[in-house]
């Protein structure tokens, strides 16, 4: 008998591993965070079986079974030192069909505690969308402040924080694409869902007051409106510290990256200052670049946020303590 679990039960279980048996292309597009890909059909095989199935379903099943058997045999040896019969293992394919059932049958017959996700990855995605479109149970505290004030490092160093920039792999500004390729929309949603679920029982969640778009990604409307309505703390930092932080953060960008980013902001900056920033970059004066961009672009273009509390940034420990004190009083 196949042991199946609904998505609600599946997400609550303590699996040693979640095995995604879909093709590498399906997995690369998006997957359950931390799931490992053990494809029972590779991309070419998956496409070949799909084409043959339309012509002769029985022959497709025979050929598919041969591919699946060969691939599972390879995965078993690779997984031997990773999985244990002492803890349950989650398994899924796209819809909970033959691909995952085949792997389930083999693992179960050996003695592993295999659990099949009912409805497969499709049921997981339905739950992600439902969750992100529903009212969130979290109590947020939102950090606002000028570019370079240190909000990102406060968020990244805080235990109970939703680090949107890290999840989106983008710093949210015209120069924010320093982390390379961003995740797909589905992957971004999956990562948000996982992190939000993990933060449900925390006293409050620290978050930065990002705009709705982070690079090429759009935040879910419910999440965005929820943290925008939350109490906001202004992080206050002297200009010289902001310049230093921006110089350190962006100091290694390439000339091509800099040129592309400068083209994006050209319509929003006086030509004189825009050219001064380019000249400073070309002579290696990065602190001057940072100062010009902060004073003549970011501080002028970015809207001023309302807030109910101010914390002068001196040290991380000092800021963390001040945030905790504020939250304790606000959410008492």
């Amino acid at each position: 008998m196949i042991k199946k679990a609904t998505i609600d039960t599946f997400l609550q279980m303590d699996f040693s591993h979640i095995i995604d048996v879909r093709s590498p292309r399906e997995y690369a597009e998006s997957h359950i965070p931390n799931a490992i890909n053990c494809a029972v059909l590779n991309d070419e095989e998956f496409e070949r079986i799909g084409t043959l199935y339309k012509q002769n379903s029985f022959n497709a099943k025979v050929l598919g079974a041969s591919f699946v058997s060969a691939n599972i045999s390879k995965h078993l040896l690779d997984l031997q030192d990773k999985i244990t019969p002492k803890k349950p293992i989650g398994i899924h394919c796209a819809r909970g069909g033959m691909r995952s059932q085949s792997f389930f049958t083999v693992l179960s017959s050996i003695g592993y505690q295999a659990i099949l996700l009912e409805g497969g990855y499709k049921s997981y995605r339905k739950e992600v969308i439902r969750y992100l479109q529903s009212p969130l149970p979290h109590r947020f505290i939102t950090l606002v402040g000028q570019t370079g004030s240190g909000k990102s490092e406060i968020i990244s160093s805080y235990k109970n924080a939703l680090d949107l920039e890290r999840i989106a792999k983008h710093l949210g500004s015209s120069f924010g694409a320093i982390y390379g390729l961003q995740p797909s929309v589905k992957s971004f949603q999956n990562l948000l869902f996982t992190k939000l679920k993990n933060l449900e029982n925390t006293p409050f969640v620290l978050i930065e007051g990002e705009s709705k778009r982070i690079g090429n990604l759009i935040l879910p409307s419910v999440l965005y409106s929820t943290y925008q309505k939350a109490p906001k703390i202004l992080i206050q930092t002297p200009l010289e510290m902001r310049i230093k932080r921006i110089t350190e953060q962006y100091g290694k960008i390439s000339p091509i990256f800099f040129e592309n980013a400068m083209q994006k902001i050209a319509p929003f900056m006086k030509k004189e200052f825009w050219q001064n920033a380019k000249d400073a970059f070309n002579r290696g004066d990065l602190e001057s670049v940072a100062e010009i961009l902060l004073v003549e672009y970011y501080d002028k273009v970015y809207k001023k946020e309302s807030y109910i509390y101010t914390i002068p940034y001196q040290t991380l420990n000092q800021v963390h303590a001040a945030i905790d004190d504020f939250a304790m009083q606000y959410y008492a």
Side-chain angles (χ1 to χ4, degrees):
M1 180 178 177
I2 295 178
K3 295 181 181 178
K4 292 185 178 181
T6 63
I7 185 59
D8 289 340
T9 302
F10 194 86
L11 290 172
Q12 293 173 14
M13 296 192 72
D14 182 22
F15 293 119
S16 65
H17 291 81
I18 294 176
I19 298 175
D20 183 337
V21 306
R22 296 176 303 151
S23 67
R25 186 180 295 120
E26 293 172 286
Y27 178 85
E29 181 191 2
S30 68
H31 55 268
I32 298 175
N34 299 320
I36 58 176
N37 187 213
C38 295
V40 298
L41 292 172
N42 64 34
D43 294 330
E44 182 183 348
E45 292 166 347
F46 184 58
E47 186 174 342
R48 184 177 171 186
I49 296 300
T51 301
L52 180 59
Y53 193 86
K54 297 174 184 177
Q55 302 166 358
N56 188 314
S57 61
F58 183 78
N59 287 349
K61 290 176 182 178
V62 173
L63 182 61
S66 68
F67 287 152
V68 168
S69 298
N71 289 325
I72 288 177
S73 67
K74 296 175 185 175
H75 292 315
L76 287 175
L77 296 176
D78 292 336
L79 289 170
Q80 188 173 6
D81 295 329
K82 298 177 183 177
I83 61 178
T84 170
K86 296 180 181 179
K87 291 197 70 174
I89 305 156
I91 303 176
H92 75 83
C93 58
R95 294 179 175 82
M98 292 304 297
R99 287 188 288 175
S100 55
Q101 289 181 29
S102 299
F103 210 160
F104 170 91
T105 300
V106 174
L107 289 176
S108 297
S109 64
I110 294 172
Y112 288 110
Q113 299 180 53
I115 307 294
L116 194 68
L117 172 57
E118 193 174 288
Y121 184 68
K122 185 176 180 180
S123 68
Y124 171 80
R125 282 294 303 164
K126 283 184 177 179
E127 177 60 16
V128 169
I129 298 302
R130 184 204 66 77
Y131 186 90
L132 294 178
Q133 292 178 347
S134 304
L136 296 171
H138 310 77
R139 303 193 297 186
F140 287 104
I141 288 179
T142 305
L143 299 187
V144 299
Q146 295 171 303
T147 301
S149 59
K151 303 183 299 296
S152 297
E153 63 191 49
I154 294 169
I155 294 290
S156 66
S157 63
Y158 199 85
K159 182 180 179 181
N160 296 328
L162 182 62
D163 193 340
L164 296 175
E165 292 181 346
R166 180 171 292 182
I167 295 173
K169 294 188 69 176
H170 198 283
L171 296 179
S173 67
S174 300
F175 288 82
I178 61 175
Y179 296 132
L181 189 66
Q182 291 188 265
S184 68
V185 172
K186 290 180 180 179
S187 292
F188 180 58
Q189 292 171 342
N190 293 353
L191 291 165
L192 280 176
F193 169 73
T194 299
K195 188 62 177 178
L196 284 166
K197 290 288 287 185
N198 290 338
L199 290 168
E200 278 188 350
N201 297 319
T202 58
F204 67 93
V205 178
L206 195 65
I207 192 168
E208 184 173 348
E210 302 281 356
S211 61
K212 195 168 185 180
R213 178 185 290 274
I214 305 180
N216 296 321
L217 297 169
I218 306 294
L219 289 169
S221 295
V222 173
L223 172 61
Y224 176 75
S225 62
T226 301
Y227 73 69
Q228 287 294 340
K229 294 173 184 176
K232 294 181 180 178
I233 296 176
L234 175 70
I235 301 300
Q236 206 169 53
T237 309
L239 177 61
E240 58 269 24
M241 293 304 298
R242 295 169 58 208
I243 292 171
K244 181 179 179 182
R245 185 173 288 113
I246 291 297
T247 302
E248 291 174 351
Q249 196 166 39
Y250 294 92
K252 294 182 180 179
I253 62 174
S254 69
I256 294 176
F257 183 99
F258 179 78
E259 182 64 30
N260 290 338
M262 289 297 289
Q263 291 301 325
K264 293 178 184 177
I265 68 173
F268 311 101
M269 192 175 179
K270 285 185 178 181
K271 188 173 182 179
E272 173 192 355
F273 298 117
W274 182 82
Q275 188 61 54
N276 289 344
K278 291 189 66 175
D279 292 342
F281 182 85
N282 290 332
R283 65 174 182 267
D285 186 359
L286 299 182
E287 289 194 356
S288 292
V289 176
E291 182 173 6
I292 294 169
L293 291 177
L294 287 173
V295 175
E296 302 298 337
Y297 172 65
Y298 287 106
D299 291 356
K300 291 183 177 180
V301 173
Y302 282 31
K303 70 174 184 178
K304 302 293 189 296
E305 297 273 4
S306 59
Y307 53 91
I308 63 174
Y309 192 65
T310 302
I311 298 177
Y313 190 165
Q314 297 169 358
T315 67
L316 271 177
N317 289 338
Q318 163 260 330
V319 173
H320 285 183
I323 291 170
D324 291 341
D325 289 344
F326 170 82
M328 188 179 300
Q329 296 178 42
Y330 188 88
Y331 284 121

